[in-house]
Amino acid sequence: MKHILLVFFFLVPLAASAQDDWSWQQALLQLTDVEDAESLSWEETCEMLDALEAQPLDINATTREQLEVLPFLSDQQVEDIMAYRHRHGELQTLGELLMIPSLDYERRRLLQCFVYVGHQPKEPPFPRLDSLLRWGKHELTFSGRLPFYRRKGDDNGYLGYPYKHTLRYQFHYGTRVKFGLLGAQDAGEPFFAEGNNSGYDHYAWYLMLSRLGPIETLAVGQYRLSFGMGLVMNGGFSFGKLATLQNLGRSNTLIRPNSSRMEDGYLQGAAVTLGIKDYGLQITGYASCRPLDATLNSNGTAATLLTDGYHRTPAEVLKKHNLTQTDAGLHLAYRHGGLRLGATAAYVHLSRELRPNTSAIYRHYYPAGTDFFNASLDYRYTSHRLSLNGETAIDGSGALATVNALSYQPSGTFSIMALQRFYSYRYAALHARSFAEGGRVQNESGLYLGVTWQPRRRLQLQAYTDYAWFAFPKYQVSQSSFAWDNLLSVTYTARDWTLTGRYRLHIRQRDADDKKTLVNRTEHRARFAFAYSVLPALTLHTQADFSCTDYNNRDFGYMVSERLSYTLRSMKLDAGFGYFHTDSYDARLYLYERAPRYQFTFPMFYGEGIRYWLMAQGTIASRLVLTAKLGITNYFDRATIGTDRQLIDHSSMTDLDLQLTYKF
């Protein structure tokens, strides 16, 4: 430990000036809940926002579609921003956002992280090559994690060394031209060894052009698509319940580059959106061909499609890229004022037949076959007070899925929304991702009601209730069942401090021991948080989390934590400490931690122990940004951590994250 601290504090003085304050991560945390923390798509969202923070939008030149990329804005808020700009012309400062009533404090704070005020009287022509080379911005980032412990697999099982690292290059010329290349390596994966001759285990690259004549967007390489409410295609962010209340169920239609370490949800090929402005039409077409990992049956068919991207052992390497997925599709959209109508058709072909093991009844209607077709109609209507949006889709067998949302804002201080969904247990769509209690766009119907009320200028109340019914058996549930989810959140914001309280009650049915009857699994979660700016340079955040689950046993858990951020002249420091104590894994708790850019840290804890971390960031020689984070977890109730090849023969674990970014 002594040597670790010496290494860390040697790096800290190299930080010559503070750069980024990560304020958007803290603000966005107010819009999340546990289901978002457990979602890989939330990590993709944070990576996307990190990239956008580095390449902000000119609020005076941005399009409606570009604003819709931001997941925390509702349809009404996007419409109000565009209407304000239309009525009053260019914004002179971001302080003018106060004049848009639908933008509350958190939205204004978040928005200011991703936009700036530019003054461009007309759209400039598409840049020439010499302009790109002269005025384009480059960013090269290397990130690595050094574990100061050994896993069982590091000594016996894993083909590579225990270090995780990423190399990322990005180029952009405003929002008109973007190019990126990423190489990612997970701990334990071979690097230029054990048959891996290409170096990094995973590569991602993209070229994206915008506003090139009739071409609104052109993406080549790896990209992600989102249409409508995600019933056919959604490679973007998740639709968590609290986030849905924040953005009032907004739908999306967008193409964005894939710059993520995640090996799931992206397409590889080309996609283009053409705009016919005189008629309010948009046409998006795409084609893709990419390899996938899969577990194979003895007859050569695919049992499961894998998305974790791990290739650390010979068995995992055998599953790498053993089938090919080909995609093609078309999306048509018509927009007039606040009305938008869309239609999507998508086709997927797998080079091996997908044949899941259906011996367990809950897998009986899992997607199967080699060819999949989905089509949908989506709609959206936005006025000053009212927003309606939804999508209805069918698959190749005629199975139906539909989701529809209504939100109403009678004033700038009160809004209410309702969301209904029905997903047939026979519906199959490989790229679907939408609002769901069960995690899949299949076998679910339900109704969600949410309200946001600001009775006083500094006081905000939010609440939702969501009831879901599952007609067909699910995992650990052998018959029809239900789930009921409720949340209440209260936030009070003063000049220098913010007080937040949140309570969640989640009831899900599970099989009893006799496998013939159902019992309720009841989960209570509560959080109290207090953030205070002691000085302009010092911010403290105190938080207490509680959990109680009642299933076979009644298990309790709690965690108290403290975070602080301090800026001293030319250096920024962030630190955190937490003590946790839970009776079991079911009562687990999550703690948000600040992390280097392009990383999302929301670790989970159970048992008894402490977690503490320290991070510093700054620049060297004006263009070189250095970030170092030391994180330590000590458990008091066990002698080992993890299981199988991830087993650590010690009660504590220490990691050092390093990131070096060169901007030129």
Side-chain angles (χ1 to χ4, degrees):
M1 178 60 64
K2 177 180 178 181
H3 294 90
I4 299 171
L5 293 174
L6 285 174
V7 170
F8 183 82
F9 286 108
F10 173 76
L11 291 169
V12 168
L14 294 178
S17 63
Q19 288 293 312
D20 306 296
D21 62 5
W22 301 276
S23 60
W24 71 264
Q25 292 192 12
Q26 180 59 41
L28 197 63
L29 185 64
Q30 300 297 325
L31 315 187
T32 65
D33 49 27
V34 171
E35 65 182 9
D36 290 322
E38 296 178 328
S39 171
L40 291 177
S41 61
W42 193 248
E43 183 170 349
E44 297 164 6
T45 302
C46 288
E47 287 193 359
M48 177 195 72
L49 293 177
D50 268 321
L52 186 57
E53 183 185 32
Q55 304 166 15
L57 302 168
D58 179 358
I59 196 168
N60 286 323
T62 185
T63 64
R64 179 183 278 103
E65 288 76 14
Q66 289 173 325
L67 285 176
E68 289 173 350
V69 171
L70 299 171
F72 51 83
L73 292 180
S74 68
D75 280 335
Q76 286 94 336
Q77 289 164 344
V78 172
E79 188 68 29
D80 289 349
I81 293 171
M82 300 302 293
Y84 181 89
R85 202 175 70 186
H86 177 73
R87 287 195 305 267
H88 303 288
E90 288 188 350
L91 279 72
Q92 301 303 308
T93 70
L94 290 178
E96 289 187 58
L97 296 175
L98 282 166
M99 305 301 294
I100 303 176
S102 61
L103 292 177
D104 58 20
Y105 171 77
E106 292 295 343
R107 297 311 184 289
R108 294 195 303 271
R109 183 185 178 193
L110 278 165
L111 192 58
Q112 290 175 18
C113 297
F114 305 107
V115 301
Y116 69 96
V117 173
H119 301 284
Q120 225 164 24
K122 62 180 181 179
E123 176 80 350
F126 194 81
R128 299 186 305 177
L129 180 59
D130 58 343
S131 297
L132 290 175
L133 297 176
R134 183 176 182 182
W135 302 110
K137 304 297 183 182
H138 307 260
E139 180 179 293
L140 184 64
T141 302
F142 176 80
S143 304
R145 169 168 290 184
L146 285 70
F148 292 89
Y149 49 83
R150 300 286 293 182
R151 297 182 178 90
K152 182 179 179 181
D154 296 329
D155 299 317
N156 182 20
Y158 292 155
L159 300 173
Y161 45 73
Y163 311 114
K164 174 182 177 181
H165 54 95
T166 304
L167 183 64
R168 183 190 304 264
Y169 167 74
Q170 295 182 103
F171 168 87
H172 72 94
Y173 184 94
T175 59
R176 305 293 292 276
V177 180
K178 296 182 180 181
F179 173 77
L181 176 65
L182 175 139
Q185 196 81 4
D186 289 311
E189 294 178 336
F191 187 71
F192 283 116
E194 301 293 339
N196 178 18
N197 298 321
S198 58
Y200 281 102
D201 179 75
H202 169 65
Y203 286 98
W205 72 275
Y206 63 85
L207 172 64
M208 192 163 180
L209 308 177
S210 300
R211 305 194 301 280
L212 181 60
I215 298 177
E216 294 187 0
T217 305
L218 171 64
V220 179
Q222 294 184 7
Y223 56 91
R224 295 178 181 269
L225 297 176
S226 296
F227 298 139
M229 300 287 281
L231 298 187
V232 173
M233 176 67 68
N234 182 14
F237 60 89
S238 62
F239 290 79
K241 293 179 182 177
L242 190 56
T244 297
L245 179 58
Q246 302 289 348
N247 62 33
L248 299 180
R250 177 168 57 83
S251 58
N252 291 275
T253 299
L254 59 94
I255 303 173
R256 67 177 180 88
N258 174 50
S259 59
S260 172
R261 289 179 50 94
M262 311 306 299
E263 299 185 36
D264 179 40
Y266 70 84
L267 301 177
Q268 182 171 278
V272 62
T273 296
L274 302 175
I276 307 175
K277 295 182 179 180
D278 293 342
Y279 297 94
L281 293 176
Q282 274 186 337
I283 304 172
T284 300
Y286 66 93
S288 167
C289 183
R290 59 158 297 197
L292 293 181
D293 295 358
T295 301
L296 301 184
N297 296 312
S298 58
N299 60 1
T301 59
T304 56
L305 303 180
L306 303 176
T307 60
D308 57 27
Y310 288 133
H311 307 117
R312 303 163 298 184
T313 66
E316 291 175 345
V317 171
L318 286 176
K319 300 173 185 178
K320 182 177 180 179
H321 297 176
N322 51 20
L323 68 78
T324 301
Q325 174 183 287
T326 303
D327 290 83
L330 191 68
H331 179 79
L332 304 177
Y334 168 76
R335 172 171 286 174
H336 179 74
L339 176 66
R340 187 188 183 283
L341 303 174
T344 304
Y347 170 73
V348 181
H349 172 74
L350 301 179
S351 60
R352 295 179 186 267
E353 180 184 358
L354 181 59
R355 188 180 295 177
N357 181 1
T358 56
S359 58
I361 188 171
Y362 70 89
R363 294 197 192 102
H364 188 73
Y365 288 103
Y366 274 22
T370 57
D371 298 279
F372 302 86
F373 177 79
N374 297 88
S376 73
L377 297 174
D378 64 88
Y379 67 92
R380 183 170 67 190
Y381 172 75
T382 304
S383 66
H384 182 57
R385 303 291 186 190
L386 181 69
S387 179
L388 298 168
N389 54 353
E391 184 177 14
T392 299
I394 60 170
D395 65 8
S397 65
L400 180 72
T402 184
V403 57
N404 302 274
L406 178 153
S407 62
Y408 180 61
Q409 290 183 288
S411 69
T413 61
F414 183 82
S415 65
I416 186 170
M417 74 161 296
L419 184 146
Q420 167 273 335
R421 75 270 191 193
F422 168 77
Y423 309 143
S424 168
Y425 57 81
R426 296 186 296 110
Y427 182 73
L430 296 186
H431 297 300
R433 184 191 293 169
S434 190
F435 185 98
E437 161 71 27
R440 302 171 63 93
V441 181
Q442 189 181 50
N443 184 32
E444 180 173 329
S445 57
L447 179 64
Y448 170 98
L449 299 174
V451 61
T452 299
W453 182 36
Q454 194 170 357
R456 296 288 186 271
R457 185 169 64 91
R458 301 182 183 276
L459 179 65
Q460 184 182 71
L461 290 83
Q462 293 180 303
Y464 71 70
T465 183
D466 180 58
Y467 182 86
W469 172 257
F470 312 104
F472 198 74
K474 292 167 50 68
Y475 177 65
Q476 295 184 334
V477 187
S478 57
Q479 55 187 289
S480 300
S481 62
F482 76 85
W484 189 29
D485 191 7
N486 306 271
L487 181 137
L488 173 64
S489 177
V490 181
T491 301
Y492 186 85
T493 304
R495 180 177 179 180
D496 296 321
W497 55 272
T498 301
L499 182 65
T500 302
R502 182 182 297 176
Y503 169 71
R504 186 182 186 188
L505 169 64
H506 201 174
I507 301 173
R508 287 172 281 196
Q509 289 189 304
R510 292 288 185 266
D511 281 332
D513 292 338
D514 59 11
K515 304 298 182 182
K516 296 180 181 179
T517 58
L518 299 180
V519 296
N520 291 342
R521 181 188 184 279
T522 304
E523 180 179 295
H524 304 266
R525 290 186 178 272
R527 171 180 296 168
F528 302 95
F530 178 73
Y532 182 63
S533 296
V534 181
L535 300 168
L538 178 62
T539 301
L540 302 178
H541 184 98
T542 304
Q543 183 170 303
D545 292 275
F546 304 90
S547 65
C548 175
T549 58
D550 194 349
Y551 181 29
N552 293 323
N553 300 297
R554 179 168 293 180
D555 297 321
F556 296 91
Y558 68 90
M559 185 171 192
V560 290
S561 60
E562 182 72 32
R563 296 199 309 270
L564 65 88
S565 297
Y566 183 59
T567 303
L568 176 62
R569 297 180 183 174
S570 60
M571 184 167 55
K572 182 173 180 62
L573 295 175
D574 291 275
F577 174 87
Y579 170 78
F580 56 91
H581 191 291
T582 75
D583 294 335
S584 70
Y585 175 80
D586 285 342
R588 62 193 180 276
L589 295 162
Y590 294 82
L591 179 67
Y592 166 76
E593 294 179 5
R594 290 184 173 178
R597 177 166 282 181
Y598 308 116
Q599 297 181 29
F600 174 66
T601 306
F602 214 137
M604 175 268 295
F605 302 99
Y606 71 96
E608 183 183 11
I610 58 174
R611 168 69 177 177
Y612 48 104
W613 55 272
L614 176 65
M615 184 167 67
Q617 187 194 47
T619 64
I620 306 170
S622 76
R623 292 188 177 185
L624 197 60
V625 182
L626 174 65
T627 305
K629 177 185 176 182
L630 185 69
I632 302 171
T633 306
N634 291 329
Y635 289 94
F636 304 151
D637 62 339
R638 68 196 73 173
T640 61
I641 303 172
T643 59
D644 298 328
R645 289 188 176 92
Q646 292 291 95
L647 180 68
I648 301 170
D649 192 16
H650 203 278
S651 61
S652 66
M653 54 188 294
T654 301
D655 293 282
L656 177 63
D657 288 297
L658 296 174
Q659 185 177 91
L660 200 60
T661 299
Y662 181 54
K663 299 181 180 182
F664 56 103

